[in-house]
PDB file of all heavy atoms in Angstrom:
ATOM      1  N   ALA U  57      -4.754   9.938  -7.209  1.00  0.00           N
ATOM      2  CA  ALA U  57      -4.240  11.293  -7.289  1.00  0.00           C
ATOM      3  C   ALA U  57      -5.568  12.231  -7.577  1.00  0.00           C
ATOM      4  O   ALA U  57      -6.446  11.717  -8.067  1.00  0.00           O
ATOM      5  CB  ALA U  57      -3.248  11.333  -8.385  1.00  0.00           C
ATOM      6  N   PRO U  58      -5.354  13.540  -7.366  1.00  0.00           N
ATOM      7  CA  PRO U  58      -6.466  14.391  -7.616  1.00  0.00           C
ATOM      8  C   PRO U  58      -6.956  14.296  -9.115  1.00  0.00           C
ATOM      9  O   PRO U  58      -6.221  14.282 -10.027  1.00  0.00           O
ATOM     10  CB  PRO U  58      -5.907  15.794  -7.438  1.00  0.00           C
ATOM     11  CG  PRO U  58      -4.758  15.527  -6.384  1.00  0.00           C
ATOM     12  CD  PRO U  58      -4.179  14.215  -6.750  1.00  0.00           C
ATOM     13  N   GLY U  59      -8.232  14.178  -9.196  1.00  0.00           N
ATOM     14  CA  GLY U  59      -8.880  14.003 -10.552  1.00  0.00           C
ATOM     15  C   GLY U  59      -8.666  12.688 -11.254  1.00  0.00           C
ATOM     16  O   GLY U  59      -9.097  12.624 -12.450  1.00  0.00           O
ATOM     17  N   LYS U  60      -8.175  11.756 -10.519  1.00  0.00           N
ATOM     18  CA  LYS U  60      -7.872  10.465 -11.198  1.00  0.00           C
ATOM     19  C   LYS U  60      -8.556   9.408 -10.384  1.00  0.00           C
ATOM     20  O   LYS U  60      -8.988   9.478  -9.256  1.00  0.00           O
ATOM     21  CB  LYS U  60      -6.381  10.160 -11.209  1.00  0.00           C
ATOM     22  CG  LYS U  60      -5.588  11.173 -12.186  1.00  0.00           C
ATOM     23  CD  LYS U  60      -4.182  10.602 -12.356  1.00  0.00           C
ATOM     24  CE  LYS U  60      -3.512  11.583 -13.316  1.00  0.00           C
ATOM     25  NZ  LYS U  60      -2.062  11.162 -13.584  1.00  0.00           N
ATOM     26  N   GLU U  61      -8.708   8.235 -11.067  1.00  0.00           N
ATOM     27  CA  GLU U  61      -9.328   6.953 -10.327  1.00  0.00           C
ATOM     28  C   GLU U  61      -8.317   6.495  -9.487  1.00  0.00           C
ATOM     29  O   GLU U  61      -7.108   6.478  -9.660  1.00  0.00           O
ATOM     30  CB  GLU U  61      -9.869   6.086 -11.372  1.00  0.00           C
ATOM     31  CG  GLU U  61     -11.003   6.622 -12.252  1.00  0.00           C
ATOM     32  CD  GLU U  61     -11.543   5.481 -13.134  1.00  0.00           C
ATOM     33  OE1 GLU U  61     -10.980   4.349 -13.104  1.00  0.00           O
ATOM     34  OE2 GLU U  61     -12.727   5.753 -13.740  1.00  0.00           O
ATOM     35  N   ARG U  62      -8.802   5.697  -8.430  1.00  0.00           N
ATOM     36  CA  ARG U  62      -7.955   5.027  -7.527  1.00  0.00           C
ATOM     37  C   ARG U  62      -7.228   3.826  -8.364  1.00  0.00           C
ATOM     38  O   ARG U  62      -7.896   3.159  -9.164  1.00  0.00           O
ATOM     39  CB  ARG U  62      -8.620   4.389  -6.427  1.00  0.00           C
ATOM     40  CG  ARG U  62      -7.893   3.683  -5.338  1.00  0.00           C
ATOM     41  CD  ARG U  62      -8.731   3.282  -4.122  1.00  0.00           C
ATOM     42  NE  ARG U  62      -9.387   4.361  -3.489  1.00  0.00           N
ATOM     43  CZ  ARG U  62      -9.949   4.280  -2.331  1.00  0.00           C
ATOM     44  NH1 ARG U  62      -9.965   3.127  -1.692  1.00  0.00           N
ATOM     45  NH2 ARG U  62     -10.577   5.253  -1.682  1.00  0.00           N
ATOM     46  N   GLU U  63      -5.919   3.671  -8.225  1.00  0.00           N
ATOM     47  CA  GLU U  63      -5.245   2.622  -8.904  1.00  0.00           C
ATOM     48  C   GLU U  63      -4.391   1.710  -8.011  1.00  0.00           C
ATOM     49  O   GLU U  63      -3.875   2.150  -6.839  1.00  0.00           O
ATOM     50  CB  GLU U  63      -4.233   3.349  -9.937  1.00  0.00           C
ATOM     51  CG  GLU U  63      -3.151   4.139  -9.334  1.00  0.00           C
ATOM     52  CD  GLU U  63      -2.184   4.733 -10.402  1.00  0.00           C
ATOM     53  OE1 GLU U  63      -2.416   4.472 -11.510  1.00  0.00           O
ATOM     54  OE2 GLU U  63      -1.233   5.370  -9.984  1.00  0.00           O
ATOM     55  N   PHE U  64      -4.096   0.511  -8.487  1.00  0.00           N
ATOM     56  CA  PHE U  64      -3.482  -0.464  -7.771  1.00  0.00           C
ATOM     57  C   PHE U  64      -1.939  -0.044  -7.668  1.00  0.00           C
ATOM     58  O   PHE U  64      -1.284   0.410  -8.750  1.00  0.00           O
ATOM     59  CB  PHE U  64      -3.591  -1.849  -8.490  1.00  0.00           C
ATOM     60  CG  PHE U  64      -2.628  -2.902  -8.013  1.00  0.00           C
ATOM     61  CD1 PHE U  64      -2.774  -3.554  -6.759  1.00  0.00           C
ATOM     62  CD2 PHE U  64      -1.518  -3.367  -8.731  1.00  0.00           C
ATOM     63  CE1 PHE U  64      -1.897  -4.450  -6.250  1.00  0.00           C
ATOM     64  CE2 PHE U  64      -0.648  -4.249  -8.374  1.00  0.00           C
ATOM     65  CZ  PHE U  64      -0.946  -4.903  -7.073  1.00  0.00           C
ATOM     66  N   VAL U  65      -1.312  -0.279  -6.538  1.00  0.00           N
ATOM     67  CA  VAL U  65       0.145  -0.147  -6.375  1.00  0.00           C
ATOM     68  C   VAL U  65       0.888  -1.428  -6.186  1.00  0.00           C
ATOM     69  O   VAL U  65       1.825  -1.777  -6.840  1.00  0.00           O
ATOM     70  CB  VAL U  65       0.386   0.897  -5.176  1.00  0.00           C
ATOM     71  CG1 VAL U  65       1.882   1.083  -4.910  1.00  0.00           C
ATOM     72  CG2 VAL U  65      -0.249   2.214  -5.547  1.00  0.00           C
ATOM     73  N   ALA U  66       0.483  -2.093  -5.013  1.00  0.00           N
ATOM     74  CA  ALA U  66       1.167  -3.289  -4.767  1.00  0.00           C
ATOM     75  C   ALA U  66       0.328  -4.174  -3.711  1.00  0.00           C
ATOM     76  O   ALA U  66      -0.509  -3.586  -2.966  1.00  0.00           O
ATOM     77  CB  ALA U  66       2.572  -3.029  -3.985  1.00  0.00           C
ATOM     78  N   VAL U  67       0.623  -5.488  -3.740  1.00  0.00           N
ATOM     79  CA  VAL U  67      -0.080  -6.356  -2.882  1.00  0.00           C
ATOM     80  C   VAL U  67       0.802  -7.450  -2.433  1.00  0.00           C
ATOM     81  O   VAL U  67       1.763  -7.821  -3.191  1.00  0.00           O
ATOM     82  CB  VAL U  67      -1.385  -6.945  -3.667  1.00  0.00           C
ATOM     83  CG1 VAL U  67      -1.071  -7.849  -4.739  1.00  0.00           C
ATOM     84  CG2 VAL U  67      -2.297  -7.760  -2.581  1.00  0.00           C
ATOM     85  N   ILE U  68       0.483  -8.011  -1.168  1.00  0.00           N
ATOM     86  CA  ILE U  68       1.213  -9.132  -0.689  1.00  0.00           C
ATOM     87  C   ILE U  68       0.133 -10.116  -0.024  1.00  0.00           C
ATOM     88  O   ILE U  68      -0.854  -9.689   0.456  1.00  0.00           O
ATOM     89  CB  ILE U  68       2.265  -8.748   0.262  1.00  0.00           C
ATOM     90  CG1 ILE U  68       3.209  -9.868   0.616  1.00  0.00           C
ATOM     91  CG2 ILE U  68       1.579  -8.170   1.545  1.00  0.00           C
ATOM     92  CD1 ILE U  68       4.455  -9.463   1.450  1.00  0.00           C
ATOM     93  N   THR U  69       0.434 -11.425  -0.098  1.00  0.00           N
ATOM     94  CA  THR U  69      -0.394 -12.361   0.527  1.00  0.00           C
ATOM     95  C   THR U  69       0.171 -12.778   1.916  1.00  0.00           C
ATOM     96  O   THR U  69       1.430 -13.035   2.031  1.00  0.00           O
ATOM     97  CB  THR U  69      -0.582 -13.642  -0.382  1.00  0.00           C
ATOM     98  OG1 THR U  69       0.606 -14.310  -0.584  1.00  0.00           O
ATOM     99  CG2 THR U  69      -1.197 -13.244  -1.640  1.00  0.00           C
ATOM    100  N   TRP U  70      -0.702 -12.963   2.833  1.00  0.00           N
ATOM    101  CA  TRP U  70      -0.274 -13.304   4.195  1.00  0.00           C
ATOM    102  C   TRP U  70       0.298 -14.842   4.193  1.00  0.00           C
ATOM    103  O   TRP U  70       1.202 -15.131   4.893  1.00  0.00           O
ATOM    104  CB  TRP U  70      -1.381 -13.201   5.198  1.00  0.00           C
ATOM    105  CG  TRP U  70      -1.763 -11.787   5.486  1.00  0.00           C
ATOM    106  CD1 TRP U  70      -2.736 -11.054   5.072  1.00  0.00           C
ATOM    107  CD2 TRP U  70      -0.975 -10.865   6.374  1.00  0.00           C
ATOM    108  NE1 TRP U  70      -2.753  -9.759   5.394  1.00  0.00           N
ATOM    109  CE2 TRP U  70      -1.613  -9.607   6.358  1.00  0.00           C
ATOM    110  CE3 TRP U  70       0.221 -11.030   7.098  1.00  0.00           C
ATOM    111  CZ2 TRP U  70      -1.230  -8.569   7.019  1.00  0.00           C
ATOM    112  CZ3 TRP U  70       0.663  -9.869   7.780  1.00  0.00           C
ATOM    113  CH2 TRP U  70      -0.020  -8.631   7.757  1.00  0.00           C
ATOM    114  N   SER U  71      -0.428 -15.629   3.384  1.00  0.00           N
ATOM    115  CA  SER U  71      -0.153 -17.149   3.470  1.00  0.00           C
ATOM    116  C   SER U  71       1.249 -17.390   2.817  1.00  0.00           C
ATOM    117  O   SER U  71       1.944 -18.192   3.578  1.00  0.00           O
ATOM    118  CB  SER U  71      -1.242 -17.895   2.796  1.00  0.00           C
ATOM    119  OG  SER U  71      -1.378 -17.474   1.440  1.00  0.00           O
ATOM    120  N   GLU U  72       1.578 -16.861   1.779  1.00  0.00           N
ATOM    121  CA  GLU U  72       2.809 -17.281   1.061  1.00  0.00           C
ATOM    122  C   GLU U  72       3.760 -16.041   0.842  1.00  0.00           C
ATOM    123  O   GLU U  72       4.895 -16.343   0.377  1.00  0.00           O
ATOM    124  CB  GLU U  72       2.543 -17.916  -0.268  1.00  0.00           C
ATOM    125  CG  GLU U  72       1.490 -19.140  -0.094  1.00  0.00           C
ATOM    126  CD  GLU U  72       1.621 -20.203  -1.257  1.00  0.00           C
ATOM    127  OE1 GLU U  72       2.289 -19.902  -2.198  1.00  0.00           O
ATOM    128  OE2 GLU U  72       0.848 -21.132  -1.177  1.00  0.00           O
ATOM    129  N   GLY U  73       3.273 -14.916   1.179  1.00  0.00           N
ATOM    130  CA  GLY U  73       4.170 -13.804   0.916  1.00  0.00           C
ATOM    131  C   GLY U  73       4.417 -13.407  -0.586  1.00  0.00           C
ATOM    132  O   GLY U  73       5.261 -12.736  -0.930  1.00  0.00           O
ATOM    133  N   THR U  74       3.412 -13.833  -1.431  1.00  0.00           N
ATOM    134  CA  THR U  74       3.425 -13.523  -2.834  1.00  0.00           C
ATOM    135  C   THR U  74       3.192 -12.083  -3.056  1.00  0.00           C
ATOM    136  O   THR U  74       2.330 -11.531  -2.444  1.00  0.00           O
ATOM    137  CB  THR U  74       2.535 -14.299  -3.651  1.00  0.00           C
ATOM    138  OG1 THR U  74       2.717 -15.748  -3.369  1.00  0.00           O
ATOM    139  CG2 THR U  74       2.544 -14.073  -5.084  1.00  0.00           C
ATOM    140  N   THR U  75       4.066 -11.484  -3.792  1.00  0.00           N
ATOM    141  CA  THR U  75       3.876 -10.017  -4.105  1.00  0.00           C
ATOM    142  C   THR U  75       3.532  -9.770  -5.579  1.00  0.00           C
ATOM    143  O   THR U  75       3.976 -10.500  -6.496  1.00  0.00           O
ATOM    144  CB  THR U  75       5.193  -9.251  -3.777  1.00  0.00           C
ATOM    145  OG1 THR U  75       6.292  -9.815  -4.457  1.00  0.00           O
ATOM    146  CG2 THR U  75       5.506  -9.412  -2.251  1.00  0.00           C
ATOM    147  N   HIS U  76       3.039  -8.548  -5.809  1.00  0.00           N
ATOM    148  CA  HIS U  76       2.643  -8.213  -7.202  1.00  0.00           C
ATOM    149  C   HIS U  76       2.640  -6.622  -7.050  1.00  0.00           C
ATOM    150  O   HIS U  76       2.207  -5.974  -6.171  1.00  0.00           O
ATOM    151  CB  HIS U  76       1.290  -8.672  -7.583  1.00  0.00           C
ATOM    152  CG  HIS U  76       1.045  -8.349  -8.953  1.00  0.00           C
ATOM    153  ND1 HIS U  76       1.744  -8.586 -10.099  1.00  0.00           N
ATOM    154  CD2 HIS U  76      -0.020  -7.492  -9.491  1.00  0.00           C
ATOM    155  CE1 HIS U  76       1.150  -8.185 -11.163  1.00  0.00           C
ATOM    156  NE2 HIS U  76       0.110  -7.549 -10.871  1.00  0.00           N
ATOM    157  N   TYR U  77       3.341  -5.991  -8.196  1.00  0.00           N
ATOM    158  CA  TYR U  77       3.354  -4.569  -8.258  1.00  0.00           C
ATOM    159  C   TYR U  77       2.835  -3.954  -9.568  1.00  0.00           C
ATOM    160  O   TYR U  77       2.929  -4.632 -10.664  1.00  0.00           O
ATOM    161  CB  TYR U  77       4.864  -4.191  -8.172  1.00  0.00           C
ATOM    162  CG  TYR U  77       5.567  -4.531  -6.902  1.00  0.00           C
ATOM    163  CD1 TYR U  77       6.242  -5.845  -6.754  1.00  0.00           C
ATOM    164  CD2 TYR U  77       5.511  -3.718  -5.810  1.00  0.00           C
ATOM    165  CE1 TYR U  77       6.846  -6.131  -5.659  1.00  0.00           C
ATOM    166  CE2 TYR U  77       6.215  -4.064  -4.618  1.00  0.00           C
ATOM    167  CZ  TYR U  77       6.921  -5.277  -4.501  1.00  0.00           C
ATOM    168  OH  TYR U  77       7.507  -5.523  -3.341  1.00  0.00           O
ATOM    169  N   ALA U  78       2.442  -2.744  -9.476  1.00  0.00           N
ATOM    170  CA  ALA U  78       2.033  -2.035 -10.742  1.00  0.00           C
ATOM    171  C   ALA U  78       3.369  -1.785 -11.441  1.00  0.00           C
ATOM    172  O   ALA U  78       4.407  -1.487 -10.856  1.00  0.00           O
ATOM    173  CB  ALA U  78       1.393  -0.783 -10.386  1.00  0.00           C
ATOM    174  N   ASN U  79       3.278  -1.721 -12.765  1.00  0.00           N
ATOM    175  CA  ASN U  79       4.420  -1.510 -13.626  1.00  0.00           C
ATOM    176  C   ASN U  79       5.095  -0.119 -13.223  1.00  0.00           C
ATOM    177  O   ASN U  79       6.268  -0.089 -13.413  1.00  0.00           O
ATOM    178  CB  ASN U  79       4.150  -1.464 -15.013  1.00  0.00           C
ATOM    179  CG  ASN U  79       3.843  -2.990 -15.607  1.00  0.00           C
ATOM    180  OD1 ASN U  79       4.361  -3.817 -14.998  1.00  0.00           O
ATOM    181  ND2 ASN U  79       3.028  -3.070 -16.557  1.00  0.00           N
TER     182      ASN U  79
END
Side-chain angles (χ1 to χ4, degrees):
K60 295 188 176 181
E61 293 187 354
R62 189 174 294 192
E63 64 175 4
F64 168 76
V65 176
V67 66
I68 190 167
T69 61
W70 288 103
S71 56
E72 304 199 1
T74 304
T75 60
H76 182 59
Y77 297 91
N79 287 335

